[in-house]
Amino acid sequence: MLNKGLSEDELFTFFSHKKREDLDHDYILSSMCTIPHSVAVRAHCMFMETNLGDPGLFPGTASLEQILVGRFGSLFHCPEAGGYATSGGTESNIQALRLAKAIRCTDGHGHNGQPNIVVPESAHFSFKKACDILGLGMRRVPLRKDFRMDADRAAEQIDNNTIALVGVAGTTEYGMVDPIADLATIALEHDLFFHVDAAFGGMVIPFLDDPVPFDFALPGVTSIAVDPHKMGMSTIPCGCLLTRDPGILNTLNIDTPYLTVKQEYTLGGTRPGAPVAGALAVLDYLGVEGMKAVVAGCMKNTERLIAGMETLGIPRAATPDVNVATFTCDRGRMPGPWKVSWTCRKHLRIVCMPHVHRDRIEAFLKDIGETHA
Ligand SMILES: *Cc1c(COP(=O)(O)O)cnc(C)c1O
């Protein structure tokens, strides 16, 4: 602590200086987050002090959270789905597996060994954290050549100690949607909790012209993670965990003696209402039509980027289902100041988020064309 406080001027001069050290979004091609929509920023500021961890004090804000859950439930073909706003995909995934574990332990399933989950090799690293915290073994299923999970090999990995099956709708690295319908059938056959990680794709796939089934329209899907703070253009942090059966969330209830509610099932304690208002603001401001326009723009830019790179002799690694483009490309020749990313398999990865406008794609193509000439 400073002994004597700074003047507001001194403080914000310092902060402005620090803010300028951050990268300019004009050059960020590597992130699944984006510049928040202006209505999200406005809503966020309006609900800045609200705490969803003590909802009895903020019933209005708490009802916004329920409206948000309802919006996603409808979008995902289950208007009566339950859920709550998380801090993002990581918390949603941890909580989904916590639920799966709790349900397996209460419904009479005995376990002779360590409980395990079956996930695609492409699963987000949050599942490693979840397995560590929950004491679960992680069985990673190899991908097919098209970078989607191999459903047959997933079925082979399931045993009596398996508590959940996970599929990804919009993988972080390659933007692929796993064969969710096949996995849902396998989950039903084995009476398994099936969690769909749609942290990224959940705000993309429903708005595509020809969406692949990935949600509660498939009877085997138990829960879905979706992140408004990615393609939902809300302020950070905002994720959402949805469950087909709203009642199962109560499996995680613990007593909360000194709060306005007596029990709760979330992972956090104090939880921000501001990004939840921000997330709902974007959904209701844009509506399905507006979101379709945003997603169509991002997909068009992804296609333009892939076509432009291939013209330069830099081939795609995959043909993605969502707006993530990957390439087989020489790492040493990346033009500055562009910020790109690299996958585990050493492919160049670019996420065509809403802030990555068409002119940014053209500028990048021009620059990389020069280093690859
Ligand atoms: C981004 C992402 C996550 C993690 O979400 P956070 O909001 O960063 O915690 C999980 N799964 C997938 C598929 C993601 O793309």
Side-chain angles (χ1 to χ4, degrees):
M1 285 290 290
L2 302 176
N3 201 28
K4 187 173 180 308
L6 300 175
S7 74
E8 202 167 324
D9 251 11
E10 286 172 309
L11 184 62
F12 283 93
T13 302
F14 173 66
F15 279 7
S16 301
H17 182 75
K18 284 291 154 193
K19 187 103 201 273
R20 279 195 299 273
E21 289 176 11
D22 290 348
L23 299 191
D24 185 337
H25 267 81
D26 274 356
Y27 294 96
I28 298 179
L29 305 180
S30 58
S31 179
M32 285 190 150
C33 289
T34 191
I35 300 169
H37 194 287
S38 58
V39 298
V41 175
R42 185 171 168 191
H44 189 108
C45 294
M46 192 170 172
F47 288 85
M48 197 72 86
E49 74 290 356
T50 61
N51 171 20
L52 289 170
D54 206 353
L57 303 181
F58 305 98
T61 314
S63 70
L64 292 184
E65 181 180 27
Q66 282 318 301
I67 296 172
L68 182 70
V69 167
R71 292 279 186 276
F72 279 120
S74 305
L75 187 65
F76 297 157
H77 300 99
C78 184
E80 58 288 350
Y84 79 97
T86 65
S87 58
T90 300
E91 180 181 338
S92 301
N93 289 339
I94 292 171
Q95 284 285 88
L97 296 183
R98 211 179 140 214
L99 259 179
K101 191 179 169 194
I103 291 167
R104 271 283 147 140
C105 293
T106 52
D107 74 356
H109 280 81
H111 289 295
N112 299 321
Q114 186 194 27
N116 67 69
I117 61 167
V118 174
V119 306
E121 216 175 83
S122 54
H124 186 262
F125 54 76
S126 50
F127 288 99
K128 283 194 191 139
K129 300 183 189 179
C131 287
D132 182 27
I133 294 168
L134 296 166
L136 304 173
M138 188 162 80
R139 301 195 166 171
R140 299 173 77 220
V141 178
L143 305 184
R144 307 185 309 215
K145 281 205 177 65
D146 63 4
F147 295 95
R148 295 186 181 93
M149 187 185 199
D150 189 324
D152 295 331
R153 309 233 356 221
E156 288 165 17
Q157 293 285 322
I158 294 167
D159 68 14
N160 285 335
N161 290 331
T162 303
I163 61 152
L165 175 63
V166 173
V168 185
T171 58
T172 314
E173 286 199 328
Y174 291 92
M176 306 309 295
V177 178
D178 286 329
I180 304 295
D182 296 341
L183 295 168
T185 305
I186 292 168
L188 280 180
E189 280 166 10
H190 291 80
D191 189 24
L192 263 185
F193 190 110
F194 179 34
H195 176 62
V196 176
D197 181 0
F200 188 79
M203 285 296 283
V204 178
I205 303 160
F207 306 112
L208 295 172
D209 287 336
D210 192 15
V212 289
F214 78 102
D215 61 18
F216 296 123
L218 302 165
V221 173
T222 315
S223 62
I224 300 177
V226 58
D227 276 2
H229 69 202
K230 290 178 176 169
M231 280 297 286
M233 296 169 287
S234 78
T235 50
I236 296 171
C238 192
C240 214
L241 174 65
L242 282 298
T243 57
R244 177 192 299 278
D245 171 3
I248 63 172
L249 288 164
N250 295 320
T251 320
L252 297 181
N253 267 342
I254 49 131
D255 296 333
T256 52
Y258 61 83
L259 300 181
T260 51
V261 283
K262 293 302 150 213
Q263 289 198 309
E264 70 126 1
Y265 48 68
T266 72
L267 186 59
T270 304
R271 293 192 298 126
V276 172
L280 184 61
V282 178
L283 290 190
D284 282 6
Y285 180 76
L286 292 180
V288 171
E289 281 181 11
M291 274 309 300
K292 276 190 170 171
V294 170
V295 166
C298 292
M299 292 305 291
K300 233 176 137 181
N301 286 339
T302 308
E303 283 153 26
R304 165 61 192 143
L305 175 64
I306 292 173
M309 291 288 270
E310 292 194 330
T311 305
L312 296 171
I314 304 169
R316 76 187 77 184
T319 300
D321 297 313
V322 298
N323 42 320
V324 179
T326 48
F327 303 94
T328 304
C329 182
D330 180 358
R331 189 166 187 154
R333 297 162 84 180
M334 219 25 69
W338 299 98
K339 193 71 194 165
V340 297
S341 55
W342 299 88
T343 70
C344 294
R345 300 186 192 203
K346 317 261 182 269
H347 290 122
L348 167 64
R349 167 183 175 271
I350 290 175
V351 191
C352 295
M353 293 302 287
H355 69 270
V356 183
H357 300 295
R358 179 61 179 260
D359 69 303
R360 300 284 77 211
I361 302 274
E362 299 302 338
F364 175 75
L365 283 170
K366 183 171 168 286
D367 288 356
I368 197 167
E370 281 163 14
T371 58
H372 278 70

